Amino acid sequence: MIEHSLGEFEELVLLMVAAHHDEAYGVLILENLEEKLGKKINISAIHVALKRMENKGFVKSRFGGITNERGGRRKKFYAITALGKRVLDNQYALRTSIYQQIPKISFS
Amino acid sequence: MKPSPPHRALKFLRWFCREDYIEEIEGDLTEVFEKQYEQSQTKARRKFTWSVIRYFRPEFIKSFKTSSSANSVAMFRHNFLLAFRQFKRYKGTFLINLVGLSSGLACALLIYLWVNDELNVDKFHEKDDRLYQVMQNFDRPNGVVTGDYTPALLAKALLSEIPEVENATLTNTIYQSNWAKGILSNKDNSINTKGILADSDYLNVFSYNLIQGDKDKVLADKNSIVISERLAKKMFNTSENIIGKALDWESEDLKKVFQVSGIFKNTPLNSTVAFDFILNYDILLDNNPESNEWYSDHAYTYLVLREGTDIRQFNDKIARFLSSKHPLRAKCTLFVQQYSKRYLHGKYENGKQVGDRIVYVRLFSIIALFILLIACINFMNLSSAQASRKMKEIGVKKAIGANRKALIIQFLSESILMSILSMMIAVLCVMLLLPQFNVITGKSLHFTLGTGDMLIMLSIVLFTGLVAGSYPAFYLSGFNPTSVLKGKPNSSLREQWVRKGLVIFQFSLSTIFIVCFLVISKQIELTQTKNLGYDQDNIISFQRHGALDVDDFEVFLSEVKNTPGVVSASNMSGNIIKQINLNVGYSWEGSTREDAEITFPSPEVNYAFIETLGIALKEGRSFSPEYSNETSKLVINEVAAKMIGFKDPIGRYVKRGSQEMQIIGVVKNFHYTSFHEIIKPVFFRFDPIGKTVLVKIKAGTERATIEHLKEIYEKFHPKNPFEFTFLDDDYQSLYEAENRVAILSKYFTIIAIIISCLGLFGLAAFTAERRTKEIGIRKILGASVFGIVRILTSDFTKTIVIAIFISLPISYFLAKNWLDNFAYRIDLQWWLFIGTGLMTLLIAWLTVGIQTIKAARINPTECLKDE
């Protein structure tokens, strides 16, 4: 499943897109991720991830309306696709199943 | 007021970023920027720029391949078609452009051929970059004199003493050229020919390639002669199997039998020296022992320096070389000059390199460039003026999505197409004109369509096309489609000024050309018409040859004098026009030690010389057989009299070395050389053995008299052909370069004017066409034809007047500069400039006038009915 591979950062972005269904766009994702991760991220990293995932068919996008904000530029909103959701679910299931194999020992 | 992100970074982003991503990315970046801006301005800006740079990666960079190849072929065909339609529709403009550009290109091409030929003279030697000629500076009281003649011993001495010298050779100088001028004969043929004397390394230093023989050996001994292929064909009718054959040599100084030891290829046309045979230099040394001394200059010395030799250091090293060899050489400094540079940069004045031929090479290159520019300007002006015709096309194209680049390409391809067409015509013209051009320039240029020429032509075409198309391309493609399609004529003040500026430039150049041409031809006229102080009409001069002794010569001369039709005859040493013998070592009462080092032109003349040339005697007498011991007498010119400073010079004495010489006469000043030089003090000495015979012939009897002279000459000089020149022709040849420049500048001036006028004509026609409605209305309201002509021409008049005012000071400066080359020159009078100005204006009016009168006479109903 090469084409359905998902990098760590991509996964984070995809989760964000899914969380803010149809309302997610570059800056929003950036800010939420920065808040959750507690570190600075460059906007270009978000765009790279989004474009890659769009190419793989995990997300789809649409343009918003024209406003006077952002120098008159339209926002591009992203939504997760069915495939994207499935990949996310698979990833989650995989991790949980492995996680559950961890023996119940104290890791102090 | 919203803060705006860094302008340059944004521009960069927009330039490289994919179109389908740019909106999102720019928007997001701006949003981030605006949020950060509230905290820190500088940080926000820095962050923005940094982010932009982070986007500069393959995923986000757009593909710069604008269109696929199929599309570009289609676009090419489309542009081609449009250009052709344009040409067909506006035939007048097309013709003006074509004629202008092709004559400009033809000029440029001719000049390129000439310049290229000049630059390649003497460059064919294999060791060209290391081949140097030794030059000599003489420190004289009236300045440093530079000469290329050196002692014959120098070559060997330099080779053995200076390690940087890899090889050295010598040849005879022009002053010893009679050693290699004479008659070669075998049993079949006898030919009067000219060669050089050189030492055995000559063919190793210079690349005159041998067809037969070993270049190390052919000049090894004194009995050998190396002949050219051409001479071999003439003497033996073949160039095969003639090594070792004998040739009889007879010249003034030498009779000898030589064996052919080798054959060389004919000296190439781009070689400054041309010769038909080479003899061993030792012949000269044996027969003229003086030439083997350090104090006498009998040779040109050429060196091949080792690779990597620093010329400045080398010159320092050899500077005192000669002065260390002989006390008489104390004031001589040696230096070297690259051999192939001698042709273009051969002139020295006071020890410094000055102009020479390179000046003309530069001059004509500049002229070519300017003529081409004038032609390009026509194209620029006409196509930008006709912008209104193209506006709709541009508007529609832009509206349906043509980008600016496509339009620029369209206009440039139109202009390049134009210049390709013009180049074809220009090539035809050049082929037709080349023989004529060769006559004027005295060259034998060929126009071959080889790769070299093709490349140059291609680059000229591209250059012309790009320059001519640049302004319309960038100007027209910048139109705003909405305003164009709305029908608002886009004729800004700036645009009109650019057009006027270009016309000003054209006409300034034309005016400068006219002034320069007039000044050159006036100066040439001066050299033709000014009283030279002697009479050169109907005088022929020829050389006496062979070993004719003094008594025989006297008989010969008296026979010449008695020939019917001969007015008088005399002879002299040297040549009155080209080369008068120079002497040093004169002293007189009150002269200083330094005066003894001044070189005086001092020709040795026979009786009746002054009378034959018609030089006016101011006081005293000239040499005459009625007096005895004339060899110790002197006739001087006015300048000399003034220099010596005697109040009454007749009968006083001047010393030459230890010999007392009495002044018997003073002649008025006369111009013995060209007007480039001032008249120097001349001392005429008496000696009847001079080799140049001058014969004054009665006007109208030239043909018969020359026939008679020929008979007498051949009686006394069997084998020698009678070769004579007219003195006035010799005089003309002094101004060969100037005459050529005069003729060429005439043609180039005419072409420049024609091209400029064509442009103006086109512009006037266009303006008149644009303003027909205005003219119609004006006429209906009662304007006269004259009034309308005035309105239409006043604009052009202003432009031309500005051009004239700009160009006159420049041309004054140029003309003055050129005239400074002459010691005797015309005065630059004001009317010459005013006249040229008026002439330019008149030409411009005539050009514009035809169009405007036609426009002004139009019937107003004609032009107003269709609206």
Side-chain angles (χ1 to χ4, degrees), chain B residues 171-230:
Chain B
T171 65
N172 62 299
T173 69
I174 189 159
Y175 302 99
Q176 280 76 45
S177 55
N178 54 341
W179 280 92
K181 221 157 47 180
I183 296 158
L184 267 178
S185 46
N186 59 6
K187 56 185 183 303
D188 308 317
N189 295 300
S190 168
I191 287 171
N192 193 357
T193 177
K194 201 177 99 197
I196 57 167
L197 299 154
D199 80 348
S200 50
D201 271 331
Y202 185 74
L203 292 169
N204 282 322
V205 172
F206 290 93
S207 307
Y208 299 107
N209 295 329
L210 286 176
I211 302 172
Q212 284 180 45
D214 178 353
K215 64 183 175 180
D216 291 320
K217 289 179 192 149
V218 285
L219 280 168
D221 79 277
K222 285 181 243 176
N223 299 319
S224 307
I225 182 168
V226 189
I227 61 175
S228 69
E229 203 180 356
R230 178 173 47 213

Coordinates of all heavy atoms in Angstrom, one line a residue, chain B residues 171-230:
Chain B
T171 N 65.6 41.4 -42.5 CA 65.4 41.6 -44.0 C 66.0 43.0 -44.3 O 66.2 43.8 -43.4 CB 64.0 41.6 -44.4 OG1 63.3 42.7 -43.8 CG2 63.3 40.3 -44.0
N172 N 66.1 43.3 -45.6 CA 66.6 44.6 -45.9 C 65.5 45.6 -45.7 O 64.3 45.3 -45.7 CB 67.0 44.6 -47.4 CG 65.8 44.3 -48.3 OD1 65.2 43.2 -48.2 ND2 65.4 45.2 -49.1
T173 N 65.9 46.9 -45.5 CA 64.9 47.9 -45.3 C 64.5 48.5 -46.6 O 65.1 48.1 -47.7 CB 65.4 49.1 -44.4 OG1 66.4 49.7 -45.2 CG2 66.0 48.6 -43.2
I174 N 63.5 49.3 -46.6 CA 63.0 49.9 -47.8 C 64.1 50.8 -48.5 O 64.2 50.9 -49.7 CB 61.8 50.8 -47.6 CG1 61.1 51.2 -48.9 CG2 62.0 52.0 -46.7 CD1 59.7 51.5 -48.7
Y175 N 65.1 51.3 -47.7 CA 66.1 52.1 -48.2 C 67.2 51.3 -49.0 O 67.9 51.8 -49.8 CB 66.9 52.9 -47.1 CG 65.9 53.7 -46.3 CD1 65.4 53.3 -45.1 CD2 65.5 54.9 -46.9 CE1 64.4 54.1 -44.5 CE2 64.6 55.7 -46.2 CZ 64.1 55.3 -45.0 OH 63.2 56.1 -44.4
Q176 N 67.2 50.0 -48.7 CA 68.1 49.1 -49.4 C 67.3 48.3 -50.5 O 67.8 47.3 -51.0 CB 68.8 48.1 -48.5 CG 70.0 48.7 -47.7 CD 69.5 49.6 -46.6 OE1 68.6 49.3 -45.9 NE2 70.1 50.8 -46.5
S177 N 66.1 48.7 -50.8 CA 65.3 47.8 -51.6 C 65.8 47.7 -53.0 O 65.5 46.7 -53.7 CB 63.8 48.3 -51.6 OG 63.8 49.6 -52.0
N178 N 66.7 48.7 -53.4 CA 67.2 48.5 -54.8 C 68.2 47.3 -54.9 O 68.5 46.9 -56.0 CB 67.9 49.8 -55.3 CG 68.9 50.3 -54.3 OD1 68.9 49.8 -53.1 ND2 69.9 51.1 -54.7
W179 N 68.6 46.8 -53.8 CA 69.4 45.6 -53.8 C 68.6 44.4 -54.3 O 69.2 43.4 -54.9 CB 70.0 45.3 -52.5 CG 71.2 46.1 -52.1 CD1 71.1 47.3 -51.5 CD2 72.5 45.8 -52.5 NE1 72.4 47.8 -51.4 CE2 73.3 46.9 -52.0 CE3 73.2 44.8 -53.1 CZ2 74.6 47.0 -52.1 CZ3 74.5 44.9 -53.3 CH2 75.3 45.9 -52.8
A180 N 67.4 44.4 -54.1 CA 66.5 43.3 -54.5 C 65.6 43.7 -55.6 O 64.5 43.2 -55.8 CB 65.8 42.7 -53.4
K181 N 66.0 44.7 -56.4 CA 65.1 45.1 -57.5 C 65.9 45.0 -58.8 O 67.0 45.6 -58.8 CB 64.7 46.6 -57.3 CG 63.3 46.8 -57.6 CD 62.6 48.0 -57.0 CE 63.4 49.3 -56.9 NZ 62.6 50.4 -56.3
G182 N 65.5 44.3 -59.7 CA 66.3 44.2 -60.9 C 65.7 43.2 -61.9 O 64.5 42.9 -61.9
I183 N 66.6 42.6 -62.7 CA 66.1 41.8 -63.8 C 66.6 40.3 -63.6 O 67.8 40.1 -63.4 CB 66.6 42.3 -65.1 CG1 65.9 43.7 -65.4 CG2 66.2 41.4 -66.3 CD1 66.7 44.5 -66.3
L184 N 65.7 39.4 -63.6 CA 66.0 38.0 -63.5 C 65.9 37.4 -64.9 O 64.9 37.7 -65.5 CB 65.1 37.3 -62.5 CG 65.5 37.1 -61.1 CD1 64.4 36.4 -60.3 CD2 66.8 36.4 -60.9
S185 N 66.8 36.6 -65.3 CA 66.6 36.1 -66.7 C 67.2 34.7 -66.7 O 68.2 34.3 -66.0 CB 67.2 37.0 -67.7 OG 68.5 37.4 -67.3
N186 N 66.6 33.9 -67.6 CA 67.2 32.6 -68.0 C 67.2 32.6 -69.5 O 66.8 33.7 -70.1 CB 66.5 31.4 -67.4 CG 65.1 31.4 -67.8 OD1 64.6 32.2 -68.5 ND2 64.4 30.4 -67.2
K187 N 67.4 31.5 -70.2 CA 67.5 31.6 -71.6 C 66.2 31.9 -72.3 O 66.2 32.5 -73.4 CB 68.2 30.4 -72.2 CG 67.5 29.1 -71.9 CD 68.3 27.9 -72.4 CE 67.7 26.6 -72.2 NZ 67.4 26.3 -70.8
D188 N 65.1 31.6 -71.6 CA 63.8 31.9 -72.3 C 63.2 33.3 -71.9 O 62.7 34.0 -72.8 CB 62.8 30.8 -71.8 CG 63.3 29.4 -72.0 OD1 63.9 29.2 -73.0 OD2 63.1 28.6 -71.1
N189 N 63.3 33.6 -70.7 CA 62.6 34.8 -70.2 C 63.5 35.8 -69.5 O 64.6 35.4 -69.0 CB 61.5 34.4 -69.2 CG 60.4 33.5 -69.9 OD1 59.8 34.0 -70.8 ND2 60.3 32.3 -69.4
S190 N 63.0 37.0 -69.4 CA 63.7 38.0 -68.7 C 62.7 38.9 -68.0 O 61.8 39.5 -68.7 CB 64.6 38.8 -69.7 OG 65.1 40.0 -69.1
I191 N 62.7 39.0 -66.7 CA 61.6 39.6 -66.0 C 62.2 40.7 -65.0 O 63.1 40.4 -64.3 CB 60.7 38.6 -65.3 CG1 59.9 37.9 -66.3 CG2 59.8 39.3 -64.3 CD1 59.2 36.7 -65.7
N192 N 61.6 41.8 -65.0 CA 61.9 42.9 -64.1 C 61.1 42.6 -62.8 O 59.9 42.6 -62.8 CB 61.5 44.2 -64.7 CG 62.2 45.3 -63.9 OD1 62.8 45.1 -62.9 ND2 61.9 46.6 -64.3
T193 N 61.8 42.4 -61.7 CA 61.0 41.9 -60.5 C 61.6 42.4 -59.2 O 62.7 43.1 -59.2 CB 61.0 40.4 -60.5 OG1 60.3 39.9 -59.4 CG2 62.3 39.8 -60.6
K194 N 60.9 42.1 -58.2 CA 61.3 42.7 -56.9 C 61.2 41.7 -55.8 O 60.3 40.8 -55.8 CB 60.2 43.8 -56.6 CG 60.7 44.8 -55.6 CD 59.6 45.9 -55.4 CE 58.8 45.6 -54.2 NZ 57.5 46.2 -54.0
G195 N 62.2 41.6 -54.9 CA 62.2 40.6 -53.9 C 62.7 41.2 -52.6 O 62.7 42.5 -52.4
I196 N 63.2 40.4 -51.7 CA 63.8 40.8 -50.5 C 65.0 40.1 -50.2 O 65.3 39.0 -50.8 CB 62.8 40.7 -49.3 CG1 62.4 39.2 -49.1 CG2 61.6 41.5 -49.4 CD1 61.7 38.9 -47.8
L197 N 65.8 40.6 -49.3 CA 67.0 39.9 -48.8 C 66.7 39.5 -47.4 O 66.2 40.4 -46.6 CB 68.2 40.9 -48.9 CG 68.6 41.4 -50.2 CD1 69.4 42.7 -50.1 CD2 69.5 40.4 -50.9
A198 N 67.0 38.3 -47.0 CA 66.7 37.9 -45.7 C 67.7 36.8 -45.2 O 68.4 36.2 -46.1 CB 65.3 37.3 -45.6
D199 N 67.8 36.7 -43.9 CA 68.8 35.7 -43.5 C 68.1 34.3 -43.4 O 66.9 34.1 -43.6 CB 69.5 36.1 -42.2 CG 68.7 35.9 -41.0 OD1 67.5 35.6 -41.1 OD2 69.2 36.0 -39.9
S200 N 68.9 33.3 -43.0 CA 68.5 31.9 -43.2 C 67.3 31.5 -42.3 O 66.6 30.5 -42.6 CB 69.7 31.0 -43.0 OG 70.3 31.3 -41.8
D201 N 67.1 32.3 -41.3 CA 66.0 31.9 -40.4 C 64.6 32.5 -40.8 O 63.6 32.3 -40.2 CB 66.3 32.3 -39.0 CG 67.0 31.2 -38.2 OD1 66.8 30.0 -38.6 OD2 67.8 31.5 -37.3
Y202 N 64.7 33.3 -41.9 CA 63.5 34.1 -42.2 C 62.2 33.2 -42.4 O 61.2 33.5 -41.8 CB 63.7 34.8 -43.6 CG 62.6 35.7 -44.0 CD1 62.4 36.9 -43.3 CD2 61.7 35.3 -45.0 CE1 61.4 37.7 -43.7 CE2 60.7 36.2 -45.4 CZ 60.5 37.4 -44.7 OH 59.5 38.2 -45.1
L203 N 62.4 32.0 -43.0 CA 61.2 31.2 -43.3 C 60.8 30.4 -42.0 O 59.7 29.8 -42.0 CB 61.4 30.3 -44.5 CG 61.5 31.0 -45.8 CD1 62.1 30.1 -46.9 CD2 60.2 31.6 -46.2
N204 N 61.6 30.4 -41.0 CA 61.2 29.8 -39.8 C 60.4 30.8 -38.9 O 59.6 30.4 -38.1 CB 62.5 29.3 -39.0 CG 63.0 28.0 -39.5 OD1 62.3 27.2 -39.9 ND2 64.3 27.9 -39.5
V205 N 60.7 32.0 -39.1 CA 60.0 33.1 -38.3 C 58.7 33.4 -39.0 O 57.6 33.5 -38.3 CB 60.9 34.3 -38.2 CG1 60.2 35.5 -37.6 CG2 62.2 34.0 -37.4
F206 N 58.7 33.6 -40.3 CA 57.5 34.0 -41.0 C 56.9 32.8 -41.7 O 57.7 31.9 -42.1 CB 57.8 35.1 -42.0 CG 58.1 36.4 -41.4 CD1 59.4 36.8 -41.1 CD2 57.1 37.3 -41.1 CE1 59.7 38.0 -40.6 CE2 57.3 38.5 -40.5 CZ 58.7 38.8 -40.2
S207 N 55.6 32.7 -41.8 CA 55.0 31.6 -42.4 C 54.7 31.8 -43.9 O 53.5 31.8 -44.3 CB 53.7 31.2 -41.7 OG 53.9 31.1 -40.3
Y208 N 55.7 32.0 -44.7 CA 55.5 31.9 -46.1 C 55.9 30.5 -46.5 O 57.1 30.2 -46.5 CB 56.4 33.0 -46.8 CG 56.1 34.4 -46.4 CD1 56.9 35.1 -45.6 CD2 54.9 35.0 -46.9 CE1 56.6 36.4 -45.3 CE2 54.6 36.3 -46.5 CZ 55.4 37.0 -45.7 OH 55.1 38.2 -45.3
N209 N 54.9 29.7 -46.8 CA 55.2 28.3 -46.9 C 55.8 27.9 -48.2 O 55.5 28.4 -49.2 CB 53.9 27.5 -46.7 CG 53.3 27.7 -45.3 OD1 54.1 27.9 -44.4 ND2 52.0 27.7 -45.2
L210 N 56.7 26.9 -48.0 CA 57.5 26.4 -49.2 C 56.7 25.3 -49.8 O 56.1 24.4 -49.2 CB 58.8 25.9 -48.7 CG 59.9 26.9 -48.3 CD1 61.1 26.3 -47.8 CD2 60.2 27.8 -49.5
I211 N 56.7 25.3 -51.1 CA 56.1 24.2 -51.9 C 57.2 23.2 -52.1 O 57.0 22.0 -52.0 CB 55.6 24.7 -53.2 CG1 54.5 25.7 -53.1 CG2 55.0 23.5 -54.0 CD1 54.1 26.4 -54.3
Q212 N 58.4 23.7 -52.4 CA 59.5 22.8 -52.6 C 60.7 23.4 -51.8 O 60.9 24.6 -51.8 CB 59.9 22.7 -54.1 CG 58.9 21.8 -54.8 CD 59.3 21.7 -56.3 OE1 60.4 21.5 -56.6 NE2 58.3 21.8 -57.1
G213 N 61.5 22.5 -51.3 CA 62.7 22.9 -50.5 C 62.5 22.8 -49.0 O 61.4 22.7 -48.6
D214 N 63.6 22.8 -48.3 CA 63.6 22.7 -46.9 C 63.8 24.1 -46.3 O 64.8 24.7 -46.6 CB 64.7 21.7 -46.5 CG 64.8 21.6 -45.0 OD1 64.1 22.3 -44.2 OD2 65.6 20.7 -44.5
K215 N 62.9 24.5 -45.4 CA 63.0 25.9 -45.0 C 64.2 26.2 -44.2 O 64.5 27.4 -44.0 CB 61.7 26.3 -44.3 CG 61.4 25.6 -43.0 CD 60.0 26.1 -42.5 CE 59.6 25.3 -41.3 NZ 58.4 25.8 -40.7
D216 N 64.8 25.2 -43.6 CA 66.1 25.5 -42.9 C 67.3 25.7 -43.8 O 68.3 26.3 -43.4 CB 66.4 24.3 -41.9 CG 65.4 24.2 -40.8 OD1 65.0 25.3 -40.3 OD2 64.9 23.1 -40.5
K217 N 67.1 25.2 -45.0 CA 68.3 25.2 -45.9 C 68.3 26.1 -47.1 O 69.3 26.5 -47.6 CB 68.6 23.7 -46.4 CG 69.0 22.8 -45.2 CD 69.2 21.4 -45.7 CE 69.4 20.5 -44.6 NZ 68.9 19.1 -44.9
V218 N 67.1 26.4 -47.5 CA 67.0 27.1 -48.8 C 67.7 28.4 -48.8 O 68.2 28.9 -49.9 CB 65.5 27.4 -49.2 CG1 64.9 26.1 -49.7 CG2 64.7 28.0 -48.1
L219 N 67.8 29.1 -47.7 CA 68.5 30.4 -47.7 C 69.9 30.3 -47.1 O 70.5 31.3 -46.8 CB 67.7 31.4 -46.9 CG 66.5 32.0 -47.7 CD1 65.6 32.8 -46.7 CD2 67.0 32.9 -48.8
A220 N 70.4 29.1 -47.1 CA 71.7 28.9 -46.4 C 72.9 29.5 -47.1 O 73.8 30.0 -46.4 CB 71.9 27.4 -46.2
D221 N 72.9 29.5 -48.4 CA 74.1 30.1 -49.0 C 73.8 31.3 -49.9 O 72.7 31.4 -50.4 CB 75.0 29.1 -49.6 CG 74.5 28.6 -50.9 OD1 73.6 27.8 -50.9 OD2 75.0 29.2 -51.9
K222 N 74.9 32.0 -50.3 CA 74.7 33.2 -51.0 C 74.4 33.1 -52.4 O 74.0 34.0 -53.1 CB 76.0 34.0 -50.9 CG 76.2 34.6 -49.5 CD 77.5 35.4 -49.5 CE 78.5 34.8 -48.5 NZ 79.8 35.4 -48.5
N223 N 74.5 31.8 -52.9 CA 74.1 31.6 -54.3 C 72.7 31.1 -54.5 O 72.3 30.9 -55.7 CB 75.1 30.6 -54.9 CG 76.5 31.1 -54.8 OD1 76.8 32.2 -55.1 ND2 77.4 30.2 -54.4
S224 N 72.0 31.0 -53.4 CA 70.6 30.5 -53.5 C 69.6 31.6 -53.8 O 69.7 32.7 -53.3 CB 70.2 29.8 -52.3 OG 71.2 28.8 -51.9
I225 N 68.6 31.2 -54.5 CA 67.4 32.1 -54.6 C 66.2 31.3 -54.4 O 66.0 30.2 -54.9 CB 67.4 32.9 -56.0 CG1 66.2 33.8 -56.0 CG2 67.4 31.9 -57.1 CD1 66.3 34.8 -57.2
V226 N 65.2 31.8 -53.5 CA 64.0 31.1 -53.3 C 62.9 32.0 -54.1 O 62.9 33.2 -53.9 CB 63.6 31.1 -51.8 CG1 62.4 30.2 -51.6 CG2 64.8 30.6 -51.0
I227 N 62.2 31.4 -54.9 CA 61.3 32.1 -55.8 C 59.8 31.8 -55.5 O 59.5 30.7 -55.0 CB 61.6 32.0 -57.3 CG1 61.5 30.6 -57.7 CG2 63.0 32.5 -57.6 CD1 61.6 30.4 -59.2
S228 N 58.9 32.7 -55.9 CA 57.5 32.4 -55.7 C 57.0 31.5 -56.8 O 57.6 31.4 -57.8 CB 56.7 33.7 -55.6 OG 56.7 34.3 -56.9
E229 N 55.9 30.9 -56.5 CA 55.2 30.0 -57.5 C 54.9 30.8 -58.7 O 55.2 30.3 -59.9 CB 53.9 29.5 -56.8 CG 53.4 28.3 -57.4 CD 52.1 27.8 -56.8 OE1 51.7 28.5 -55.8 OE2 51.6 26.8 -57.2
R230 N 54.5 32.0 -58.5 CA 54.1 32.9 -59.7 C 55.3 33.1 -60.5 O 55.3 33.0 -61.8 CB 53.6 34.2 -59.1 CG 53.2 35.3 -60.1 CD 52.5 36.4 -59.3 NE 53.3 36.8 -58.1 CZ 52.8 37.3 -57.0 NH1 51.5 37.4 -56.9 NH2 53.5 37.6 -56.0

